[in-house]
Amino acid sequence: MVLRTGEEYVNAIRHRNKVEVYVMGKEVKDVTEHPFLKPSVLAFKATYDAAHEEDSKSLGRAWSSFINEEVNRFTHIHRSPEDLSAKVKLLRKISHKTGACFQRCVGWDALNTIYVTSRLMAERGKKEYYERFVEYLKYVQKNDIALAGAMTDVKGVRTLRPNEQPHAYLRVTQVTKDGIYVSGAKANITGIAASEEIIVMPTRAMSEKDKDFAVAFSIPLDTEGIKVIIGRQVNDGRRLEDGEIDGLPYRTNHEGLVIFDNVFVPMERVFMLGDWQMSGILVEIFSSYHRQGYGGCKSGLGDVIIGAAYNLAKQIGVEKAPHIQNKLNEMVLLNENMYGSGIAASLDAVKLCEDGCWWVNPMFANVTKQLVTRFPYEITKFSTDIAGGIIGTAPSEWDLKNPKLKPYIEKYLQGMMDYSTEDRLRMVRLLENIGFSVAFLIESVHGAGSPEAQRIAINRVYDYEYAEKIAKYLSQIEKRIEFKENAEPWRRTDTEKLANNGGQK
Ligand code: SF4
């Protein structure tokens, strides 16, 4: 069971009894067959297939020292900088197979976050969370569980703290000796309906008054009291058309609003309870992990878009024109910047405990995500330019399939004779649906924290005072300077300061 196949995963999520999942106002019983959600299940499934396919299985698997077996990397706890780098590479690769966000990384990052956070708490004497978590981790790894991560609360009025508007943050309403009861809602939860379990985490730093909101736990999705409302996306109606061209690549992600209506969580699944001092640390750890990952998945989607733009240029015979080559070259530069930054965040990783809690480099992780808030828009703009106006005006596949219209469409939209008009429409639709997708644009801005969150994190790490000292010394305003050993003018994050080893490299 340790390495499930994609089919085994799909069969495991087919039947649910307690959770309520809604799409466009109607309850969905089998998410694997519903036309709106099936593309998401297929994208999620690719994370299982990757552990079996020849070209990806060396990246898709890892050795777990917790259960002494090979596991799917999406359940693995990173044990080295190379593990972190393999994550970014795997994400780029799976983007090539899905053309979509494949959703499983949030739960994976949550798993690593709770591992590190509970470990740091154990080093300070509070061992129960770590002990519970390791047992849970073994269960996840042995059963290759599909996890979602749920961090973002609905937040209501942003200037009010959780204790000033309790409905806007998930909270603990009752504690018993067996477990806790929670109520509230988590928003924008990626891949939720295609998951088996949710790892819930606090969304922000908390004060002592907010301690009822400082809670982390895991819970099966199929639990009494959980309701999921799936959000809409651009062009999502095409999934319902039963077509084969207009909705390409027919793999996608979904996000949902997850409502917890007095949900019981057994104590063995509770990994933080009232530890308000640690919630800011947990958020810092999680957000950096997920921001690093964007360097892989978004550059992978960038590759698809570059490939589509190149092909469309060929289809109309302009691929060698200097201005087209310049645009393609720009797209590659933007794309490799995102990827390179994610790799740097991995290889320049931070060790937070002696026997291997590896965290990404927080500066590079935040820079990666900040680049991702900008470059996909630039890449899509260049691809739109290369593709021509047809990307917004092409006839539908239903026109092409109408025998009366087909000869006209074939005649008037034909480009180079190496390609058919159907080839052109297929590539246009692929480019349109990925280039303007939630996964490549909206998620790139808001996923793993909106742009301002990275700017704040970058400002916390960058030591402007030290940079100023360097400038003052070189301008001879100051005659002396005490140079630091590190090349980078960076401060340590709160997480590094908390680590017993000070966050070694
Ligand atoms: Fe994974 Fe990227 Fe989707 Fe996040 S946005 S879940 S890193 S594919």
Side-chain angles (χ1 to χ4, degrees), residues 91 101-106 190 290 293-294 297-298 443:
L91 268 47
C101 157
F102 30 90
Q103 308 150 93
R104 199 175 173 191
C105 332
V106 192
T190 297
H290 205 59
Y294 272 43
C297 69
K298 301 310 177 205
E443 208 173 56

Side-chain angles (χ1 to χ4, degrees), residues 139-208:
Y139 159 74
V140 168
Q141 292 188 332
K142 280 184 187 155
N143 295 283
D144 206 354
I145 298 288
L147 297 174
M151 175 169 271
T152 308
D153 284 285
V154 291
K155 293 186 207 155
V157 179
R158 302 310 197 255
T159 50
L160 296 179
R161 297 202 60 87
N163 70 79
E164 295 166 320
Q165 47 170 353
H167 72 281
Y169 290 82
L170 185 128
R171 66 203 178 282
V172 179
T173 53
Q174 194 186 342
V175 182
T176 70
K177 67 175 182 14
D178 298 325
I180 60 173
Y181 288 84
V182 295
S183 283
K186 292 282 185 181
N188 316 330
I189 305 308
T190 297
I192 183 69
S195 308
E196 294 170 284
E197 300 242 345
I198 321 169
I199 299 184
V200 173
M201 299 164 285
T203 199
R204 55 176 289 174
M206 303 283 177
S207 68
E208 191 170 1

